[in-house]
Amino acid sequence: MKLSEQWLREWVNPAVDSNELSEQLSMAGLEVDGVEPVAADFHTVVVGEVVECGPHPDADKLQVTKVNTNDGELLDIVCGAPNCRQGIKVVVAKVGAVLPGDFKIKKAKLRGHPSYGMLCSFKELGLIDEHEGIIELPEDAPVGKDYREYLGLEDHSIDIDLTPNRGDCLSVRGIARELGVLNRMDVNEPEIKDVAAKVDEQKAIHLDAPEQCPRYLGRVIKGIDVSRPTPIWMSEKLRRSGIRSIDPVVDITNYVLLELGHPMHAFDLDTLEGDIHVRLAAAKEKLTLLDGEEVELDEDVLVIADEQKALAMAGVYGGKDSGVTVESKNIFLESAFFAPDAILGKARRFGLHTDASHRYERGVDPQLQRTAMERATQLLLDICGGEAGPVTEAVSEKHLPERANVKLRSARLAKVLGVKIADDEVTEILQRLGLEATYNSGEWQVQVPSYRFDIAIEEDLIEEVARVYGYNAIKAAAPAAQLRMTDRKEASVSRHTLTNALVERGYQEAITYSFVDPKHQAMLFNETAALTLPHPISVDMSSMRVSLWPGLAGAVAHNQKRQQAVLAFVETGLRFIPDESAENGVRQEPVLGGIRAGKAHTEHWSEGERAVDFFDVKGDVEALLEKTGEANLFRFVADQHDALHPGQSAAIYKGERKVGFMGALHPQHEKALGLNQRAFVFEIELDAIAVRRIPAAQPVSRYPSIRRDLAVIVDKHIAAGELLAAMENIGVKQLVDLNLFDVYEGDGVPENKRSLALSVTLQDADKTLEEADVTDIMTQFIDTLRSEFNATLRD
């Protein structure tokens, strides 16, 4: 938005220069993009009067004039402008003048006739680009007065880039209101009086779409003269604000738009048929716009219409057939409030962008319509003459925006801003902003004025206080950093620690989708119900996973297709188990899962090449369990799982609780999952391994350890781990190490039996173990194995 600095200072004139004024606006959130002079540099240009004007004897298109500049003698000037004539006031560049572009005025002869100056146009003075002849000044323009001084051209055009929420500042009134607040000054608003009706004629108004237009005012004005020129003070204010002067009716509505921020429109009264209706357009209804383009309206477009036709797109653009022309004598002036949502996007839909739509989309004061109507009416009568009828108003009060009531807490204000502002000063700031604020018990109750659409919550009020108080006045304070230990339990094992244990063993950490292919999941977990998404990303990602395995298997398949020979992935995440007793009908369980496929290790000269097997993965899981410090509490038990090979699967138990599964993926699933090699997987509940035993310091024994080997024959189906667990559970405190070092089946061992060789290391912290002590302990082990597993010593 552009506006004249002089015009702004007519409303409020703080004792600051242009740069400081711009800085004030920018720091208040009304960013100034530029400040430029309203006129290019020129001098020795004055107001003159054409005393004589006649044709040049030797040129058809030139005229010889004598011009009075109040210098004691008349100047002979040759002029080629068609509008030059005797008696008009003009702008004269005298000899010695310098015009924009470093154009110097000198004595000259044109077709043999001397010329001592030049009669100037707006283009030659760099004011506007159009060239329609020389400038014609009002009859009361003082002859001889410097033209820059006469027009007040020592002025600046301020270009303000407003954010969409500050529609209240799209006017001189709005910007002046802000400057008054920032400088603690009163705003000198022009006196706007009600215009008395001189004629009785009026138009009935019908609000057929009250939600879109809850207030519409109209007024008949008869007997105007559109041919009268727009006053130079008005056309100059418009020019300096970036708007071209057209005719007095359009100029007045544009002037009110810039001055008060309220769009208005005038219709040729004699083209209207019947009452005025504010309604939504009919299907495929057509309208010829002021620029001559015919558009087909949509049914959600709000229009102003009479009984027969649409007259204008409401809040956007007027229609050609009802537009005011130089022949118009009677007009119908409108002033309306259109809801922002009703106008939003409509102009862009038809490739338009108007000053009216720009303001209506951001919000116009719903209480400003009558003030704008009276202001425009008075200007029309003063400039164009005529007589006004009464103002007709149609309003739907229930559809008008309500004034917001917002609470502001003193403690919240201080916390957000980081500075304590005195309560009295906050009250003053709020009241200067036009807010009705009352303070009681540490908080303000604030009623927001109708023109502040952007204030709805407490944070909006905090922003208002901050920008008026001044961001520069809020001193920067370095954050206070306190050194303290984080609250972390020593017994906790982080996910990072667990995944790193496997990363150190060659795994790559993976993140897969929580959504999986329902066919693959049903194949692997045919007894587990799954949650189906109502609006999935795609069909093959429409089920919530009940395990990490489908995603990890997909990652392996993807990499196998890219000739990766060694594959090992670990992932932590949630699995989603349907459970009616859980919140929202789903139980979310954090788990850690992994997969290995391909070669056991990368190619190396010192090691032979082999494929990964069950015991590689079992070793990885055991390394993971070691992080708990209680690996002895976990055991692997042969078990069946739909997704795993029947002979290579095991459940993982912690005590009597099943906490996971591991094994080889079933061969029948490999092709469906896209795998081309045997893959081994595991999954374990995170809460089972998220806590570790805290190490307890104890003295190192000074006494020697003793090793005894024990070979027993047991049934083939008995797992070695069960024997080791039974021996550990005896509670022999001298047992420091227990290990399976050999498994044998064959000659010397009965059929369906196998020999397990165990090494037992004993050590006492207080004494050297005697042979009798060792024998007693070994006897306990043998008796336990015999009673629980029907084991016999191997000869």
Side-chain angles (χ1 to χ4, degrees):
M1 172 188 168
K2 285 186 177 181
L3 75 161
S4 160
E5 181 181 346
Q6 283 185 4
W7 191 4
L8 181 60
R9 288 184 183 273
E10 290 175 12
W11 287 67
V12 58
N13 190 11
V16 296
D17 61 18
S18 300
N19 290 333
E20 190 172 347
L21 184 145
S22 299
E23 179 68 13
Q24 283 186 353
L25 292 174
S26 293
M27 291 306 295
L30 312 177
E31 184 178 355
V32 175
D33 276 353
V35 178
E36 297 179 352
V38 300
D41 190 25
F42 60 82
H43 63 78
T44 319
V45 179
V46 300
V47 176
E49 182 179 10
V50 179
V51 177
E52 296 180 12
C53 183
H56 192 289
D58 298 320
D60 294 338
K61 295 184 178 181
L62 297 180
Q63 299 183 75
V64 178
T65 68
K66 288 188 179 294
V67 180
N68 177 23
T69 58
N70 209 20
D71 287 333
E73 61 181 33
L74 301 179
L75 298 178
D76 290 326
I77 298 177
V78 176
C79 176
N83 63 326
C84 181
R85 59 191 183 279
Q86 182 179 347
I88 65 171
K89 298 287 181 69
V90 293
V91 180
V92 183
K94 299 193 294 185
V95 173
V98 179
L99 303 186
D102 200 27
F103 180 65
K104 298 177 181 178
I105 303 299
K106 302 176 182 178
K107 295 180 182 179
K109 278 190 176 183
L110 297 177
R111 294 291 183 95
H113 201 287
S115 183
Y116 300 98
M118 183 174 75
L119 304 186
C120 300
S121 68
F122 285 113
K123 183 176 182 179
E124 289 160 342
L125 295 179
L127 298 178
I128 59 177
D129 293 334
E130 296 181 357
H131 194 306
E132 297 179 351
I134 58 175
I135 301 171
E136 296 186 40
L137 299 178
E139 294 180 0
D140 59 355
V143 174
K145 190 176 183 66
D146 184 275
Y147 184 64
R148 295 188 72 91
E149 183 180 350
Y150 171 67
L151 272 194
L153 292 179
E154 301 306 322
D155 187 12
H156 294 92
S157 179
I158 303 175
D159 189 359
I160 303 176
D161 185 14
L162 294 170
T163 52
N165 65 314
R166 292 309 305 270
D168 63 296
C169 290
L170 285 168
S171 64
V172 175
R173 183 192 196 193
I175 300 297
R177 198 159 43 206
E178 291 290 305
L179 275 180
V181 172
L182 297 173
N183 293 279
R184 300 175 184 267
M185 299 179 67
D186 293 332
V187 177
N188 302 315
E189 296 198 19
E191 185 179 4
I192 300 175
K193 296 181 179 180
D194 292 348
V195 176
K198 295 294 181 67
V199 296
D200 295 331
E201 186 173 344
Q202 54 186 311
K203 284 278 185 183
I205 299 169
H206 306 277
L207 298 181
D208 299 332
E211 291 187 14
Q212 289 79 10
C213 177
R215 172 170 281 151
Y216 190 96
L217 281 72
R219 175 176 241 167
V220 170
I221 302 177
K222 307 199 72 175
I224 65 169
D225 183 0
V226 183
S227 66
R228 292 186 184 182
T230 300
I232 195 166
W233 61 266
M234 179 178 287
S235 62
E236 266 300 293
K237 286 180 176 178
L238 294 177
R239 180 186 72 82
R240 298 176 195 187
S241 301
I243 295 180
R244 182 172 60 91
S245 177
I246 298 175
D247 62 54
V249 175
V250 174
D251 290 349
I252 287 168
T253 58
N254 283 335
Y255 183 85
V256 174
L257 172 90
L258 290 173
E259 183 183 53
L260 302 180
H262 196 287
M264 301 186 71
H265 187 70
F267 300 98
D268 188 325
L269 180 66
D270 298 329
T271 65
L272 305 185
E273 302 175 84
D275 297 346
I276 298 297
H277 291 264
V278 186
R279 59 172 174 81
L280 293 174
K284 298 184 178 181
E285 185 171 7
K286 294 184 178 181
L287 173 67
T288 302
L289 303 178
L290 284 170
D291 60 4
E293 180 184 0
E294 185 180 71
V295 295
E296 185 174 279
L297 304 175
D298 301 319
E299 293 182 62
D300 63 341
V301 174
L302 190 68
V303 297
I304 312 301
D306 58 18
E307 298 288 355
Q308 303 298 324
K309 60 188 177 300
L311 305 173
M313 289 174 62
V316 178
Y317 216 53
K320 183 178 182 179
D321 295 338
S322 61
V324 176
T325 66
V326 69
E327 288 82 19
S328 298
K329 300 298 180 184
N330 309 306
I331 65 171
F332 178 74
L333 189 64
E334 72 162 17
S335 176
F337 172 75
F338 302 117
D341 289 345
I343 308 301
L344 191 63
K346 303 301 187 299
R348 288 188 294 277
R349 184 185 301 176
F350 295 96
L352 304 171
H353 183 271
T354 63
D355 290 325
S357 66
H358 186 77
R359 284 161 175 79
Y360 277 124
E361 287 177 345
R362 286 153 177 77
V364 170
D365 184 356
Q367 304 298 327
L368 187 59
Q369 287 70 48
R370 183 170 287 273
T371 301
M373 175 66 77
E374 298 296 351
R375 178 63 164 164
T377 301
Q378 188 60 62
L379 290 171
L380 276 166
L381 298 182
D382 291 345
I383 297 171
C384 300
E387 295 179 324
V391 176
T392 305
E393 179 178 10
V395 61
S396 175
E397 294 288 350
K398 68 177 182 178
H399 293 111
L400 286 171
E402 295 183 1
R403 296 176 62 183
N405 286 283
V406 185
K407 179 176 70 175
L408 173 61
R409 295 164 292 172
S410 178
R412 176 66 176 165
L413 177 66
K415 182 178 180 181
V416 173
L417 298 185
V419 62
K420 174 64 178 176
I421 304 176
D423 294 339
D424 291 344
E425 186 172 0
V426 174
T427 302
E428 182 193 4
I429 289 173
L430 295 174
Q431 291 176 345
R432 280 194 286 129
L433 283 165
L435 310 174
E436 298 175 15
T438 55
Y439 179 75
N440 186 31
S441 302
E443 65 182 39
W444 290 268
Q445 290 293 335
V446 179
Q447 188 172 39
V448 181
S450 57
Y451 57 83
R452 289 304 299 269
F453 280 82
D454 58 312
I455 299 178
I457 59 176
E458 186 175 28
E459 282 69 19
D460 296 332
L461 291 176
I462 294 173
E463 180 186 4
E464 291 298 299
V465 173
R467 68 186 187 85
V468 175
Y469 180 75
Y471 297 119
N472 291 335
I474 301 176
K475 296 182 179 179
Q482 298 179 351
L483 297 176
R484 61 184 181 86
M485 296 295 291
T486 57
D487 185 15
R488 183 173 179 272
K489 295 180 180 179
E490 186 180 359
S492 297
V493 183
S494 68
R495 295 189 182 192
H496 181 72
T497 300
L498 294 171
T499 54
N500 264 8
L502 295 176
V503 169
E504 291 169 359
R505 297 175 67 88
Y507 280 73
Q508 298 286 334
E509 190 168 2
I511 300 175
T512 64
Y513 284 107
S514 298
F515 320 121
V516 297
D517 190 325
K519 297 193 299 293
H520 290 171
Q521 183 154 273
M523 176 180 64
L524 297 175
F525 304 92
N526 59 13
E527 294 184 0
T528 304
L531 297 169
T532 301
L533 299 174
H535 306 290
I537 298 173
S538 62
V539 175
D540 59 353
M541 298 180 70
S542 59
S543 285
M544 301 296 291
R545 67 187 180 194
V546 297
S547 170
L548 303 182
W549 292 347
L552 291 172
V556 168
H558 179 84
N559 282 273
Q560 284 180 341
K561 293 174 183 176
R562 286 154 182 80
Q563 291 80 47
Q564 298 301 307
V566 181
L567 295 169
F569 296 122
V570 59
E571 179 179 11
T572 58
L574 295 173
R575 63 186 181 191
F576 304 89
I577 310 298
D579 186 349
E580 293 183 359
S581 63
E583 185 178 1
N584 298 325
V586 59
R587 187 172 72 252
Q588 302 184 44
E589 297 178 345
V591 292
L592 182 148
I595 188 169
R596 286 188 68 174
K599 297 179 181 179
H601 49 74
T602 56
E603 190 174 16
H604 193 269
W605 62 268
S606 65
E607 298 185 40
E609 183 178 306
R610 69 176 181 85
V612 67
D613 61 22
F614 177 89
F615 294 102
D616 289 322
V617 179
K618 183 172 181 287
D620 296 335
V621 175
E622 287 174 337
L624 189 66
L625 301 179
E626 287 290 342
K627 292 297 179 180
T628 68
E630 295 181 320
N632 60 306
L633 298 181
F634 294 85
R635 57 195 176 94
F636 298 86
V637 179
D639 202 347
Q640 300 286 327
H641 192 288
D642 293 333
L644 304 178
H645 191 290
Q648 297 186 49
S649 63
I652 305 171
Y653 281 83
K654 183 177 184 180
E656 298 302 319
R657 173 190 166 198
K658 184 189 292 187
V659 297
F661 241 101
M662 66 159 293
L665 281 175
H666 201 293
Q668 69 181 12
H669 303 325
E670 291 174 359
K671 184 177 181 181
L673 293 172
L675 302 173
N676 56 33
Q677 290 176 305
R678 179 60 57 89
F680 296 84
V681 296
F682 63 89
E683 187 172 80
I684 187 168
E685 296 174 14
L686 266 177
D687 61 354
I689 54 176
V691 179
R692 65 177 177 174
R693 183 183 63 194
I694 298 175
Q698 60 184 17
V700 178
S701 176
R702 294 178 299 142
Y703 303 99
S705 61
I706 298 173
R707 170 174 168 160
R708 290 287 187 271
D709 292 342
L710 180 65
V712 295
I713 296 174
V714 296
D715 291 339
K716 198 172 183 178
H717 69 274
I718 297 176
E722 297 181 19
L723 274 69
L724 298 176
M727 295 172 69
E728 289 174 346
N729 290 336
I730 293 175
V732 176
K733 67 179 182 178
Q734 293 86 358
L735 179 64
V736 294
D737 189 28
L738 180 62
N739 185 44
L740 172 71
F741 66 88
D742 185 49
V743 178
Y744 173 73
E745 297 179 22
D747 295 341
V749 176
E751 188 177 356
N752 294 326
K753 300 280 186 177
R754 63 179 172 179
S755 171
L756 303 178
L758 311 173
S759 66
V760 180
T761 304
L762 304 174
Q763 187 179 36
D764 197 297
D766 300 322
K767 65 177 182 177
T768 300
L769 290 174
E770 301 291 340
E771 184 63 30
D773 298 326
V774 174
T775 301
D776 183 55
I777 293 171
M778 293 302 296
T779 300
Q780 292 183 58
F781 289 152
I782 294 169
D783 290 344
T784 299
L785 297 177
R786 183 180 290 117
S787 63
E788 293 191 17
F789 303 102
N790 196 27
T792 59
L793 291 177
R794 182 181 174 189
D795 296 335

